[in-house]
């Protein structure tokens, strides 16, 4: 039994100074100790890219009880790797990426730096979630997004890892949040077009197991 507060890693792809990540910090700060490790500027569309040709630097911006903030010259995935491997004293109990300015839905989850960071958390077997608001305005209202994100963060933090080869699930919450009630859609675009928030479970194992039987019959 431990009395340690939950440790939550927060990152994004809009940069450490973006409104979305700072509102996310405010709505999650009472759920545990926060370590914010985010790019020093916008890194949208980076997906799971890592930096390999130039040195990566990170800077401590703020440290107070329950909250530590770093900026990093790398990508969102670089931020997750550095935070977990080099900076944090222990593996986080939860990773939250966002709040992204603008929606990331359907095939865009493959390009999103926000989603790339959540997938990296999944690789480290850390329960991970991304949060996005379908609004590109600099002064976007994140209040409902924060409410739903906080609710989901509590659920994901408590989620017990199932014993399978694919590791921890990644959850993606996105939408314009015109409706106060999220739905679990078969098609996230349909949900968003209808004015709902979309909650989509994803995973990083992209193996087509259904095709394996066919492949085994091929003569190579």
């Amino acid at each position: 039994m431990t009395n340690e507060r939950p440790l939550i890693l927060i990152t994004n792809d809009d940069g450490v100074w973006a409104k979305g990540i700072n509102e996310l910090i405010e709505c999650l700060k009472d759920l545990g100790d926060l370590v914010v490790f985010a790019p020093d500027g916008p890194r949208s569309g980076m997906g799971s890219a890592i930096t390999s040709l130039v040195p990566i630097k990170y800077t401590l911006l703020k440290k107070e009880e329950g909250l530590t903030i770093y900026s990093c010259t790398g990508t969102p995935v670089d931020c997750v790797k550095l935070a977990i491997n080099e900076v944090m004293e222990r593996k986080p109990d939860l990773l939250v990426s966002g709040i992204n300015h603008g929606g990331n839905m359907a095939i865009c989850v493959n390009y999103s730096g926000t989603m790339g960071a959540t997938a990296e958390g999944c690789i480290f077997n850390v329960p991970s979630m991304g949060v996005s608001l379908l609004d590109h305005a600099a002064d976007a209202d994140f209040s409902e997004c924060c409410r739903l994100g906080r609710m989901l963060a509590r659920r994901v933090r408590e989620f017990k890892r199932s014993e399978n080869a694919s590791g921890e699930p990644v959850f993606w919450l996105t939408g314009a949040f015109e409706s106060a009630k999220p739905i679990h859609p078969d098609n996230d675009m349909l949900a968003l077009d209808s004015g709902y928030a979309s909650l989509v479970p994803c995973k990083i194992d992209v193996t087509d197991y259904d095709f394996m039987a066919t492949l085994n019959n091929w003569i190579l």
Side-chain angles (χ1 to χ4, degrees):
M1 182 68 66
T2 177
N3 293 322
E4 287 183 322
R5 280 165 52 85
L7 184 58
I8 302 173
L9 174 59
I10 294 178
T11 191
N12 73 347
D13 71 353
D14 289 319
V16 71
W17 306 110
K19 181 180 180 183
I21 194 172
N22 284 284
E23 296 216 9
L24 184 64
I25 292 167
E26 286 300 309
C27 76
L28 297 182
K29 64 183 181 182
D30 67 326
L31 296 184
D33 292 331
L34 308 184
V35 174
V36 180
F37 208 105
D40 58 4
R43 302 287 192 279
S44 294
M46 285 289 183
S48 292
I50 59 173
T51 302
S52 60
L53 298 180
V54 296
I56 303 171
K57 300 178 181 179
Y58 65 90
T59 303
L60 176 63
L61 300 179
K62 183 176 184 178
K63 187 173 181 62
E64 60 185 40
E65 185 176 358
L67 175 63
T68 307
I69 302 177
Y70 297 91
S71 68
C72 175
T73 60
T75 68
V77 169
D78 290 331
C79 290
V80 175
K81 286 183 178 294
L82 276 171
I84 294 178
N85 287 325
E86 301 294 336
V87 175
M88 302 180 78
E89 295 181 356
R90 59 185 174 91
K91 190 165 74 171
D93 300 293
L94 173 68
L95 182 150
V96 186
S97 184
I99 299 169
N100 187 65
H101 291 252
N104 287 295
M105 67 289 287
I107 196 66
C108 291
V109 299
N110 293 296
Y111 313 122
S112 165
T114 311
M115 193 60 173
T118 62
E120 190 65 20
C122 180
I123 291 171
F124 281 100
N125 286 331
V126 175
S128 302
M129 56 175 281
V131 186
S132 175
L133 179 67
L134 195 56
D135 188 338
H136 292 276
D139 62 346
D141 181 0
F142 289 95
S143 56
E144 185 66 9
C145 190
C146 284
R147 185 186 72 81
L148 294 176
R150 174 186 167 82
M151 178 179 66
L152 180 60
R154 297 185 69 172
R155 288 291 187 91
V156 175
R157 189 190 67 188
E158 297 164 359
F159 186 85
K160 302 299 182 182
R161 181 177 183 272
S162 59
E163 296 300 324
N164 58 60
S166 62
E168 292 288 354
V170 175
F171 295 88
W172 184 249
L173 177 66
T174 187
F177 302 103
E178 295 172 8
S179 167
K181 189 173 183 179
I183 62 172
H184 305 276
D186 293 325
N187 185 312
D188 60 350
M189 291 296 295
L190 178 62
L192 299 177
D193 289 343
S194 300
Y196 288 92
S198 170
L199 175 59
V200 182
C202 307
K203 59 183 182 180
I204 61 171
D205 186 352
V206 296
T207 304
D208 188 343
Y209 291 100
D210 292 335
F211 192 70
M212 293 292 280
T214 301
L215 187 61
N216 287 335
N217 292 325
W218 285 12
I219 299 175
L220 301 178

